[in-house]
Amino acid sequence: MIILPEEHFLIHMETRNLSYTVKRAVKNETTRQVEMTILFLLEGKMTVRYRDEDFRMTEEDIILINPGTEYEIIECTDALYGIAVYPMQLMSDILKNSRMMFYCNSVVDMSHSYRDLRDILFELTAEYTEDSHKSSAYNASLMLKLLDCLVENYQLEVNDLADEETEADARMREMMQYILSNLDRDINLNELADSMFVSASTLSRIFKKHTGVYFADYVMQLRVQSSLQLLRSTKQTVTQIALTCGFANSASFNRSFRKVMGIAPTDYRKKFQEESIPEEVIEENTEEDIREELKEKGYKKLRGEKRFTALIDLKEKPGVKYEKTWNRIMNVGAMSDLTKANMQYHTLFINEHLHFRYFRVWSVFSQKMMLFDGRSIGVYNYDTVDQVLDFFVQHHLQLFLDFGRRPEVAFSSENKPIFYNEEYIDFVSREAWESLLEDFITHIVSRYGLGVVSNWIFELPRDNWHDLSHPEQGIYKGEYDFFNAFKFFYETIRSKIPGAEVGGIGSVIRYDEDYLREFFGKCLEDNIKPDFVSFLLFPYEAPAERLLSSDPEAQTLGKAVTEENKNIRFMVISKNSDYEEEQIDKITVFMKSSGLEDVKTYITEWNNSISNRNALNDSCFRAAYMVRKLINIYDKVDTINIMCASDWISSYMDTVGIANGGIGLLTKDTIRKPAYYAIDFMNQLGEYVIDRTDKFIVSRKENGDIYIVCHNFSWFRENYVMQDEDVDILENRPMIFEDEKELNLLIRLKNFGDPGEYCVKRRTMNDINGSILGEWSKFQFNTRLTRQDIKYLEAICLPNLSQSVYSVSGKGDTMELELKLEPHEICIIHIFRT
């Protein structure tokens, strides 16, 4: 026999009232908790009124209710929620700081991901569902784990409140902490006042003003409230309960209990016991029903995970030939950027490793290229231009030249430029622009030969500067019309380089559809049929309070920032995770209805963000975003151009880190980001697509090898999208996504192939394996690394490689691939005969 020490029973007394239950929400249910309480919404919707504010909870939201406060469920729809309760005695005994405060509200708090709390709460829900342990020890351990997580990550420092609360608020907070920490002990307002260096009358007045009751009455009500559970669920005597709850004796307890509850404690216990059998049955039935419902919904398997299963018959689906539209054209930067050795090196690196066929260069007519002053017609200096073009021709790289007007700009967030410079040549007239364009085309034909430049692509995009409302800032000064400029551009290139592709006009379908319809209607009337129509694709939409379609100044992503508009949010990230797919469908409908169904569709600029200071650009989120979108839209357009090759495109005084949130696939030190590997994985797909789902794409090569690319992508939560995008990794600001759970993916390949052994190779990129942010974090995001350190990061930022062998015994066998993917993980599976 093992005799447990007395301390064991003390600990048992401290932890036995830890509880986690699951309930159906009841509208207008009001609760005043003596204990600290955590609400965790498992399903449905629920609005909680707490401290005079309404919080609309959606699935997996968490709200912590501080002890001694009241909350009310004012609205609910099919809401099932968990309740974790911590007795104040335990809080006082085990916490080192009795005045510790917590702030935990996932509805409004953007500074935490809440994944840590959700994982534990889902585990508590699984334990509650199965109810299989012989004691409450495991449940208590999870509750203490949850409390530890709160202490370590959600503790509210007193200094955090100093700037926001008044002196009276601070004193009220101290009084509440004192009451709750000493509810089972002697509470003396005078002693508290002395410790706070204020009179007892002052504290009493402050307390009455904030709560509506006197200090002593409030303490009495809380003590009575805390006694109810003991009367209902224990065999302690009334005297024992009185002393446990902080009353001096049973007489004082009886008197207070009658005042609050209207009956004596013994009568309350007797009344509860008389009604306990039917109530208990009802309670058990209700609790059992909830447990059964939770089991049916899979909570016993821990809902912190998500599952996806697919069966693919390789005999029925031999595969369909397709084009890899994502690796045809890569955006590299302004022509002046390509005069720099680092940009040229990154261009060659991308070409060698990712095999893009074209490289898109803009700002051809930039002042930095020193072509001419915009006035002296016929006098042109091509030295700097030739330096750039020679580089591409000598390395056999095909060019995509964008002749539009474009500022030198980098954004930290929408309408928040880091730098902004208008560098376009200030053409004094239409004649000056047309003369340079014609001479430029003649020059490149003469220098490189018609055979070379006939393989190039030429684009004239439109932006807001081309509107009649800004004739003084258009391609040239004077009376200006973009259609006439495009017509001259098209006819000049057609006449001098007949084999080259010509097109435009770089629009956003959501805002420019009416203009596009009119513009291309004129083109067809004048027998102008472009080889391609170009569009921009970014996941932005107008906020509800401002419609961009009615504001011509806000209809492009390159809008200039002025004093008048610098504080206006013209665009916000779309809440719709399928936004890009819907815009592509809209483009397809437009092309068919405008008589352009046989004209190519080019997405010339695409990314998850326009920000060049957003840590998401360096993260696995962007990689998973790219894989998911490319799987969904690769066959709906003729090319989709990623923004962009290198972080050097937005280098500035503030880019001192190893990664700075730029939109490049490569950091300035040539460290490959997760987005780089998204393209690399997609490039490895076979020539035939066998099947695709929302989570993966299956392909086959000519030699029969199978390649599968998978992802565990999740979009932003609704309460994140209205925030600025300048996410600074050095502040370690967490991202808030709709779904941050591990994905259990089961892919079953039926009729796999001939009997034998097959090798299954898996390459994985996630926050732990190969991510630049994950690896750099091991250096505490230090910006003063040695060249050797950087070389180490360059070498270590690689996908994890693993391999297994699978035996196929019969020709009709099914191969099962069981994969676990971390949030925003991407992976590629290569299956081949050994």
Side-chain angles (χ1 to χ4, degrees), residues 146-176:
L146 186 65
L147 179 59
D148 180 70
C149 186
L150 287 168
V151 172
E152 296 298 324
N153 302 319
Y154 297 86
Q155 183 182 163
L156 192 61
E157 301 292 342
V158 174
N159 292 338
D160 295 337
L161 299 171
D163 296 333
E164 299 181 11
E165 64 180 359
T166 64
E167 184 179 352
D169 289 336
R171 287 174 174 168
M172 185 63 197
R173 173 171 51 79
E174 287 197 51
M175 283 189 282
M176 290 299 297

mmCIF file of all heavy atoms in Angstrom, residues 146-176:
data_model
loop_
_atom_site.group_PDB
_atom_site.id
_atom_site.type_symbol
_atom_site.label_atom_id
_atom_site.label_comp_id
_atom_site.label_asym_id
_atom_site.label_seq_id
_atom_site.Cartn_x
_atom_site.Cartn_y
_atom_site.Cartn_z
ATOM 1 N N LEU A 146 -2.621 24.971 -19.780
ATOM 2 C CA LEU A 146 -3.295 26.140 -20.341
ATOM 3 C C LEU A 146 -2.994 27.389 -19.508
ATOM 4 O O LEU A 146 -2.725 28.473 -20.057
ATOM 5 C CB LEU A 146 -4.811 25.889 -20.396
ATOM 6 C CG LEU A 146 -5.677 26.947 -21.081
ATOM 7 C CD1 LEU A 146 -5.365 27.035 -22.564
ATOM 8 C CD2 LEU A 146 -7.154 26.636 -20.879
ATOM 9 N N LEU A 147 -3.020 27.241 -18.188
ATOM 10 C CA LEU A 147 -2.716 28.365 -17.304
ATOM 11 C C LEU A 147 -1.275 28.829 -17.491
ATOM 12 O O LEU A 147 -0.997 30.037 -17.530
ATOM 13 C CB LEU A 147 -2.963 27.959 -15.851
ATOM 14 C CG LEU A 147 -2.667 29.025 -14.784
ATOM 15 C CD1 LEU A 147 -3.510 30.268 -15.013
ATOM 16 C CD2 LEU A 147 -2.913 28.459 -13.395
ATOM 17 N N ASP A 148 -0.359 27.878 -17.618
ATOM 18 C CA ASP A 148 1.039 28.226 -17.849
ATOM 19 C C ASP A 148 1.207 29.005 -19.153
ATOM 20 O O ASP A 148 1.972 29.973 -19.231
ATOM 21 C CB ASP A 148 1.893 26.969 -17.876
ATOM 22 C CG ASP A 148 3.364 27.274 -18.108
ATOM 23 O OD1 ASP A 148 4.000 27.838 -17.205
ATOM 24 O OD2 ASP A 148 3.872 26.962 -19.204
ATOM 25 N N CYS A 149 0.475 28.589 -20.191
ATOM 26 C CA CYS A 149 0.520 29.289 -21.482
ATOM 27 C C CYS A 149 0.018 30.724 -21.340
ATOM 28 O O CYS A 149 0.577 31.658 -21.915
ATOM 29 C CB CYS A 149 -0.314 28.523 -22.504
ATOM 30 S SG CYS A 149 -0.192 29.176 -24.175
ATOM 31 N N LEU A 150 -1.033 30.896 -20.538
ATOM 32 C CA LEU A 150 -1.553 32.240 -20.280
ATOM 33 C C LEU A 150 -0.521 33.102 -19.567
ATOM 34 O O LEU A 150 -0.308 34.270 -19.920
ATOM 35 C CB LEU A 150 -2.832 32.161 -19.445
ATOM 36 C CG LEU A 150 -4.093 31.664 -20.138
ATOM 37 C CD1 LEU A 150 -5.173 31.375 -19.108
ATOM 38 C CD2 LEU A 150 -4.588 32.685 -21.152
ATOM 39 N N VAL A 151 0.118 32.518 -18.562
ATOM 40 C CA VAL A 151 1.118 33.265 -17.787
ATOM 41 C C VAL A 151 2.289 33.681 -18.669
ATOM 42 O O VAL A 151 2.755 34.821 -18.609
ATOM 43 C CB VAL A 151 1.623 32.414 -16.594
ATOM 44 C CG1 VAL A 151 2.802 33.098 -15.908
ATOM 45 C CG2 VAL A 151 0.494 32.176 -15.593
ATOM 46 N N GLU A 152 2.762 32.754 -19.508
ATOM 47 C CA GLU A 152 3.948 33.026 -20.318
ATOM 48 C C GLU A 152 3.677 33.956 -21.487
ATOM 49 O O GLU A 152 4.539 34.750 -21.864
ATOM 50 C CB GLU A 152 4.527 31.700 -20.843
ATOM 51 C CG GLU A 152 5.037 30.766 -19.757
ATOM 52 C CD GLU A 152 6.171 31.379 -18.957
ATOM 53 O OE1 GLU A 152 7.001 32.110 -19.544
ATOM 54 O OE2 GLU A 152 6.227 31.149 -17.731
ATOM 55 N N ASN A 153 2.484 33.888 -22.070
ATOM 56 C CA ASN A 153 2.252 34.595 -23.343
ATOM 57 C C ASN A 153 1.142 35.638 -23.329
ATOM 58 O O ASN A 153 1.071 36.462 -24.251
ATOM 59 C CB ASN A 153 1.943 33.573 -24.446
ATOM 60 C CG ASN A 153 3.060 32.570 -24.623
ATOM 61 O OD1 ASN A 153 4.232 32.910 -24.584
ATOM 62 N ND2 ASN A 153 2.698 31.304 -24.807
ATOM 63 N N TYR A 154 0.267 35.608 -22.332
ATOM 64 C CA TYR A 154 -0.889 36.510 -22.371
ATOM 65 C C TYR A 154 -1.016 37.346 -21.097
ATOM 66 O O TYR A 154 -2.062 37.904 -20.826
ATOM 67 C CB TYR A 154 -2.179 35.709 -22.588
ATOM 68 C CG TYR A 154 -2.188 34.989 -23.912
ATOM 69 C CD1 TYR A 154 -1.608 33.726 -24.040
ATOM 70 C CD2 TYR A 154 -2.739 35.579 -25.053
ATOM 71 C CE1 TYR A 154 -1.582 33.066 -25.250
ATOM 72 C CE2 TYR A 154 -2.721 34.923 -26.273
ATOM 73 C CZ TYR A 154 -2.142 33.662 -26.367
ATOM 74 O OH TYR A 154 -2.125 33.022 -27.585
ATOM 75 N N GLN A 155 0.056 37.409 -20.338
ATOM 76 C CA GLN A 155 0.037 38.206 -19.124
ATOM 77 C C GLN A 155 0.076 39.685 -19.489
ATOM 78 O O GLN A 155 0.850 40.105 -20.356
ATOM 79 C CB GLN A 155 1.245 37.851 -18.243
ATOM 80 C CG GLN A 155 1.264 38.580 -16.927
ATOM 81 C CD GLN A 155 2.501 38.245 -16.110
ATOM 82 O OE1 GLN A 155 2.831 38.957 -15.180
ATOM 83 N NE2 GLN A 155 3.193 37.174 -16.461
ATOM 84 N N LEU A 156 -0.756 40.455 -18.833
ATOM 85 C CA LEU A 156 -0.831 41.886 -19.102
ATOM 86 C C LEU A 156 0.027 42.611 -18.079
ATOM 87 O O LEU A 156 -0.261 42.576 -16.876
ATOM 88 C CB LEU A 156 -2.285 42.364 -19.007
ATOM 89 C CG LEU A 156 -2.598 43.764 -19.530
ATOM 90 C CD1 LEU A 156 -2.267 43.878 -21.005
ATOM 91 C CD2 LEU A 156 -4.064 44.082 -19.293
ATOM 92 N N GLU A 157 1.093 43.222 -18.562
ATOM 93 C CA GLU A 157 1.978 43.939 -17.653
ATOM 94 C C GLU A 157 1.310 45.232 -17.192
ATOM 95 O O GLU A 157 0.610 45.894 -17.951
ATOM 96 C CB GLU A 157 3.298 44.268 -18.356
ATOM 97 C CG GLU A 157 4.062 43.052 -18.859
ATOM 98 C CD GLU A 157 4.604 42.203 -17.724
ATOM 99 O OE1 GLU A 157 4.689 42.731 -16.598
ATOM 100 O OE2 GLU A 157 4.918 41.017 -17.968
ATOM 101 N N VAL A 158 1.587 45.592 -15.939
ATOM 102 C CA VAL A 158 1.014 46.828 -15.393
ATOM 103 C C VAL A 158 1.473 48.035 -16.211
ATOM 104 O O VAL A 158 0.714 48.974 -16.440
ATOM 105 C CB VAL A 158 1.418 47.000 -13.913
ATOM 106 C CG1 VAL A 158 0.947 48.356 -13.372
ATOM 107 C CG2 VAL A 158 0.834 45.874 -13.070
ATOM 108 N N ASN A 159 2.701 47.978 -16.715
ATOM 109 C CA ASN A 159 3.215 49.106 -17.505
ATOM 110 C C ASN A 159 2.421 49.309 -18.783
ATOM 111 O O ASN A 159 2.335 50.414 -19.314
ATOM 112 C CB ASN A 159 4.688 48.871 -17.854
ATOM 113 C CG ASN A 159 5.570 48.940 -16.630
ATOM 114 O OD1 ASN A 159 5.190 49.548 -15.628
ATOM 115 N ND2 ASN A 159 6.753 48.331 -16.697
ATOM 116 N N ASP A 160 1.830 48.208 -19.294
ATOM 117 C CA ASP A 160 1.029 48.316 -20.524
ATOM 118 C C ASP A 160 -0.223 49.136 -20.307
ATOM 119 O O ASP A 160 -0.802 49.680 -21.252
ATOM 120 C CB ASP A 160 0.635 46.922 -21.020
ATOM 121 C CG ASP A 160 1.848 46.108 -21.438
ATOM 122 O OD1 ASP A 160 2.883 46.725 -21.753
ATOM 123 O OD2 ASP A 160 1.760 44.868 -21.430
ATOM 124 N N LEU A 161 -0.683 49.207 -19.057
ATOM 125 C CA LEU A 161 -1.922 49.918 -18.755
ATOM 126 C C LEU A 161 -1.704 51.380 -18.376
ATOM 127 O O LEU A 161 -2.630 52.177 -18.361
ATOM 128 C CB LEU A 161 -2.647 49.228 -17.585
ATOM 129 C CG LEU A 161 -3.061 47.773 -17.806
ATOM 130 C CD1 LEU A 161 -3.561 47.188 -16.515
ATOM 131 C CD2 LEU A 161 -4.100 47.670 -18.897
ATOM 132 N N ALA A 162 -0.444 51.705 -18.075
ATOM 133 C CA ALA A 162 -0.162 53.011 -17.480
ATOM 134 C C ALA A 162 -0.627 54.174 -18.334
ATOM 135 O O ALA A 162 -1.138 55.180 -17.826
ATOM 136 C CB ALA A 162 1.333 53.128 -17.204
ATOM 137 N N ASP A 163 -0.471 54.057 -19.644
ATOM 138 C CA ASP A 163 -0.812 55.173 -20.519
ATOM 139 C C ASP A 163 -2.299 55.272 -20.803
ATOM 140 O O ASP A 163 -2.765 56.282 -21.313
ATOM 141 C CB ASP A 163 -0.046 55.041 -21.851
ATOM 142 C CG ASP A 163 1.456 55.139 -21.651
ATOM 143 O OD1 ASP A 163 1.866 55.793 -20.660
ATOM 144 O OD2 ASP A 163 2.193 54.570 -22.473
ATOM 145 N N GLU A 164 -3.058 54.202 -20.520
ATOM 146 C CA GLU A 164 -4.456 54.168 -20.927
ATOM 147 C C GLU A 164 -5.437 54.372 -19.787
ATOM 148 O O GLU A 164 -6.541 54.842 -19.991
ATOM 149 C CB GLU A 164 -4.758 52.820 -21.609
ATOM 150 C CG GLU A 164 -3.921 52.588 -22.862
ATOM 151 C CD GLU A 164 -4.256 51.267 -23.512
ATOM 152 O OE1 GLU A 164 -5.262 50.649 -23.110
ATOM 153 O OE2 GLU A 164 -3.519 50.848 -24.412
ATOM 154 N N GLU A 165 -5.071 54.007 -18.555
ATOM 155 C CA GLU A 165 -6.038 54.079 -17.469
ATOM 156 C C GLU A 165 -5.825 55.308 -16.596
ATOM 157 O O GLU A 165 -4.701 55.788 -16.426
ATOM 158 C CB GLU A 165 -5.964 52.808 -16.620
ATOM 159 C CG GLU A 165 -4.650 52.588 -15.907
ATOM 160 C CD GLU A 165 -4.663 51.312 -15.084
ATOM 161 O OE1 GLU A 165 -5.699 50.622 -15.062
ATOM 162 O OE2 GLU A 165 -3.637 51.015 -14.472
ATOM 163 N N THR A 166 -6.910 55.792 -16.047
ATOM 164 C CA THR A 166 -6.855 56.929 -15.134
ATOM 165 C C THR A 166 -6.382 56.453 -13.768
ATOM 166 O O THR A 166 -6.279 55.250 -13.505
ATOM 167 C CB THR A 166 -8.239 57.567 -15.003
ATOM 168 O OG1 THR A 166 -9.124 56.610 -14.398
ATOM 169 C CG2 THR A 166 -8.790 57.975 -16.366
ATOM 170 N N GLU A 167 -6.131 57.413 -12.886
ATOM 171 C CA GLU A 167 -5.707 57.064 -11.532
ATOM 172 C C GLU A 167 -6.793 56.260 -10.816
ATOM 173 O O GLU A 167 -6.507 55.287 -10.113
ATOM 174 C CB GLU A 167 -5.391 58.340 -10.743
ATOM 175 C CG GLU A 167 -4.847 58.075 -9.347
ATOM 176 C CD GLU A 167 -4.526 59.358 -8.602
ATOM 177 O OE1 GLU A 167 -4.591 60.437 -9.225
ATOM 178 O OE2 GLU A 167 -4.206 59.272 -7.409
ATOM 179 N N ALA A 168 -8.049 56.653 -11.027
ATOM 180 C CA ALA A 168 -9.163 55.925 -10.408
ATOM 181 C C ALA A 168 -9.249 54.508 -10.956
ATOM 182 O O ALA A 168 -9.506 53.552 -10.211
ATOM 183 C CB ALA A 168 -10.471 56.681 -10.637
ATOM 184 N N ASP A 169 -9.029 54.349 -12.259
ATOM 185 C CA ASP A 169 -9.051 53.015 -12.862
ATOM 186 C C ASP A 169 -7.961 52.130 -12.266
ATOM 187 O O ASP A 169 -8.182 50.944 -11.983
ATOM 188 C CB ASP A 169 -8.851 53.110 -14.384
ATOM 189 C CG ASP A 169 -10.054 53.708 -15.090
ATOM 190 O OD1 ASP A 169 -11.161 53.623 -14.527
ATOM 191 O OD2 ASP A 169 -9.881 54.252 -16.193
ATOM 192 N N ALA A 170 -6.764 52.700 -12.097
ATOM 193 C CA ALA A 170 -5.655 51.938 -11.544
ATOM 194 C C ALA A 170 -5.967 51.479 -10.118
ATOM 195 O O ALA A 170 -5.681 50.333 -9.743
ATOM 196 C CB ALA A 170 -4.381 52.781 -11.565
ATOM 197 N N ARG A 171 -6.556 52.374 -9.338
ATOM 198 C CA ARG A 171 -6.905 52.006 -7.962
ATOM 199 C C ARG A 171 -8.009 50.958 -7.937
ATOM 200 O O ARG A 171 -7.994 50.032 -7.102
ATOM 201 C CB ARG A 171 -7.318 53.257 -7.188
ATOM 202 C CG ARG A 171 -6.117 54.155 -6.853
ATOM 203 C CD ARG A 171 -6.523 55.452 -6.214
ATOM 204 N NE ARG A 171 -5.336 56.199 -5.796
ATOM 205 C CZ ARG A 171 -5.352 57.455 -5.407
ATOM 206 N NH1 ARG A 171 -6.501 58.123 -5.378
ATOM 207 N NH2 ARG A 171 -4.239 58.061 -5.034
ATOM 208 N N MET A 172 -8.977 51.078 -8.842
ATOM 209 C CA MET A 172 -10.050 50.102 -8.925
ATOM 210 C C MET A 172 -9.483 48.730 -9.296
ATOM 211 O O MET A 172 -9.885 47.700 -8.734
ATOM 212 C CB MET A 172 -11.071 50.553 -9.981
ATOM 213 C CG MET A 172 -12.294 49.665 -10.073
ATOM 214 S SD MET A 172 -13.240 49.678 -8.540
ATOM 215 C CE MET A 172 -14.236 48.210 -8.792
ATOM 216 N N ARG A 173 -8.534 48.710 -10.195
ATOM 217 C CA ARG A 173 -7.911 47.451 -10.589
ATOM 218 C C ARG A 173 -7.194 46.802 -9.411
ATOM 219 O O ARG A 173 -7.313 45.591 -9.182
ATOM 220 C CB ARG A 173 -6.929 47.710 -11.741
ATOM 221 C CG ARG A 173 -6.097 46.511 -12.121
ATOM 222 C CD ARG A 173 -5.302 46.759 -13.401
ATOM 223 N NE ARG A 173 -4.562 47.981 -13.364
ATOM 224 C CZ ARG A 173 -3.386 48.126 -12.721
ATOM 225 N NH1 ARG A 173 -2.874 47.116 -12.053
ATOM 226 N NH2 ARG A 173 -2.745 49.276 -12.755
ATOM 227 N N GLU A 174 -6.475 47.606 -8.644
ATOM 228 C CA GLU A 174 -5.769 47.061 -7.483
ATOM 229 C C GLU A 174 -6.731 46.524 -6.435
ATOM 230 O O GLU A 174 -6.481 45.491 -5.798
ATOM 231 C CB GLU A 174 -4.865 48.132 -6.870
ATOM 232 C CG GLU A 174 -3.616 48.428 -7.705
ATOM 233 C CD GLU A 174 -2.559 49.158 -6.892
ATOM 234 O OE1 GLU A 174 -2.223 48.690 -5.785
ATOM 235 O OE2 GLU A 174 -2.081 50.198 -7.367
ATOM 236 N N MET A 175 -7.848 47.222 -6.252
ATOM 237 C CA MET A 175 -8.841 46.747 -5.279
ATOM 238 C C MET A 175 -9.423 45.407 -5.702
ATOM 239 O O MET A 175 -9.590 44.491 -4.886
ATOM 240 C CB MET A 175 -9.958 47.797 -5.107
ATOM 241 C CG MET A 175 -9.564 48.983 -4.239
ATOM 242 S SD MET A 175 -10.965 50.063 -3.857
ATOM 243 C CE MET A 175 -11.113 50.975 -5.380
ATOM 244 N N MET A 176 -9.757 45.266 -6.995
ATOM 245 C CA MET A 176 -10.332 44.011 -7.486
ATOM 246 C C MET A 176 -9.332 42.867 -7.347
ATOM 247 O O MET A 176 -9.690 41.757 -6.939
ATOM 248 C CB MET A 176 -10.751 44.169 -8.949
ATOM 249 C CG MET A 176 -11.950 45.073 -9.162
ATOM 250 S SD MET A 176 -13.447 44.461 -8.334
ATOM 251 C CE MET A 176 -13.694 42.924 -9.182
#
